[in-house]
Amino acid sequence: GAVVSQHPSRVICKSGTSVKIECRSLDFQATTMFWYRQFPKQSLMLMATSNEGSKATYEQGVEKDKFLINHASLTLSTLTVTSAHPEDSSFYICSAREHISSYNEQFFGPGTRLTVL
Amino acid sequence: SQQGEEDPQALSIQEGENATMNCSYKTSINNLQWYRQNSGRGLVHLILIRSNEREKHSGRLRVTLDTSKKSSSLLITASRAADTASYFCATDKDTGRRALTFGSGTRLQVQP
């Protein structure tokens, strides 16, 4: 089956630093990748849609200058949390949609837990 | 993005019992998917039901979809302690970016 990896799985950083999270589709090409954020005991909230070779589309309330998304290839999207603050601490999950997918089945990465001190 | 509602928010049952979770959504959809999430982990895709389907089975899972009521249910039969997890429904709008909109989730606890 389709596999999506995320790296790192866990990161702890100091306030003010930037953190990059990678999302890779390992055995398929993903035209579109999605980035979600999940706070404890809550559901997933879509942050942005990442399309290969074009600018990401951000959801309302998500600062594009703070959450930089780069989708440089059909298998890799990165999310950079710039000048991280404690309120950015969360579980970040990416998903990838296969290039040829009639039913929009998405495959999720294992998530990255970010803790900002 | 709009969120669907799931009920119950939490469910505790004994091993061997059936667990039923419900999901309601607000917009027209292309399909509805159910996912499972163990604590602090990523999501595992369970089942996808298309908007023109009414019921689907996969092992111990049974999903129904009522598009007139904009609702779906997930039934887990003969539950096991290993089924303990959070379960989310997610809808795929028939237009737009095709991002999934997740329900609020049901936390299922299966007591051994």
Side-chain angles (χ1 to χ4, degrees):
Chain A
V3 178
V4 175
S5 70
Q6 274 185 248
H7 179 79
S9 59
R10 184 182 295 267
V11 57
I12 300 173
C13 69
K14 292 182 179 180
S15 187
T17 60
S18 293
V19 175
K20 180 186 282 189
I21 302 170
E22 292 186 348
C23 176
R24 293 181 185 272
S25 56
L26 298 185
D27 49 4
F28 66 98
Q29 292 186 327
T31 313
T32 305
M33 290 184 174
F34 303 93
W35 287 96
Y36 296 84
R37 181 167 53 184
Q38 184 181 32
F39 292 107
K41 297 187 178 180
Q42 294 188 24
S43 188
L44 281 74
M45 294 294 293
L46 179 69
M47 297 176 66
T49 303
S50 169
N51 294 298
E52 186 265 337
S54 63
K55 290 183 179 180
T57 303
Y58 291 82
E59 293 300 296
Q60 192 172 8
V62 178
E63 300 175 55
K64 62 180 181 181
D65 294 330
K66 181 167 184 63
F67 299 99
L68 300 178
I69 292 173
N70 182 27
H71 194 153
S73 74
L74 284 173
T75 60
L76 173 64
S77 176
T78 60
L79 168 68
T80 301
V81 183
T82 62
S83 186
H85 291 283
E87 58 265 29
D88 298 323
S89 298
S90 187
F91 194 53
Y92 292 86
I93 305 176
C94 71
S95 73
R97 176 171 172 252
E98 198 164 2
H99 180 58
I100 302 174
S101 173
S102 300
Y103 301 114
N104 197 29
E105 184 176 352
Q106 295 182 22
F107 302 96
F108 284 80
T112 297
R113 183 159 307 281
L114 170 64
T115 303
V116 184
L117 302 176
Chain B
S1 57
Q2 284 188 319
Q3 290 251 311
E5 294 296 319
E6 289 186 59
D7 74 271
Q9 289 188 337
L11 179 61
S12 181
I13 60 175
Q14 296 293 319
E15 219 169 16
E17 293 180 338
N18 295 342
T20 299
M21 289 159 268
N22 302 297
C23 164
S24 61
Y25 56 91
K26 299 178 182 179
T27 65
S28 60
I29 61 171
N30 185 47
N31 62 60
L32 185 144
Q33 305 178 44
W34 283 90
Y35 288 86
R36 165 199 168 116
Q37 184 182 36
N38 287 76
S39 181
R41 307 291 291 273
L43 274 73
V44 175
H45 182 263
L46 295 177
I47 198 166
L48 179 153
I49 186 166
R50 302 173 220 168
S51 59
N52 63 352
E53 296 178 311
R54 292 296 167 259
E55 186 171 315
K56 202 163 183 178
H57 296 254
S58 177
R60 293 185 295 113
L61 306 179
R62 173 178 168 254
V63 169
T64 63
L65 179 65
D66 187 336
T67 52
S68 66
K69 296 181 179 178
K70 290 186 168 57
S71 67
S72 174
S73 68
L74 170 67
L75 168 68
I76 304 175
T77 60
S79 63
R80 305 166 182 168
D83 294 329
T84 295
S86 290
Y87 292 83
F88 296 93
C89 68
T91 54
D92 170 18
K93 293 182 184 180
D94 56 6
T95 58
R97 295 190 296 278
R98 310 294 300 279
L100 297 177
T101 300
F102 283 84
S104 51
T106 294
R107 289 187 297 281
L108 173 66
Q109 176 79 40
V110 181
Q111 307 286 352

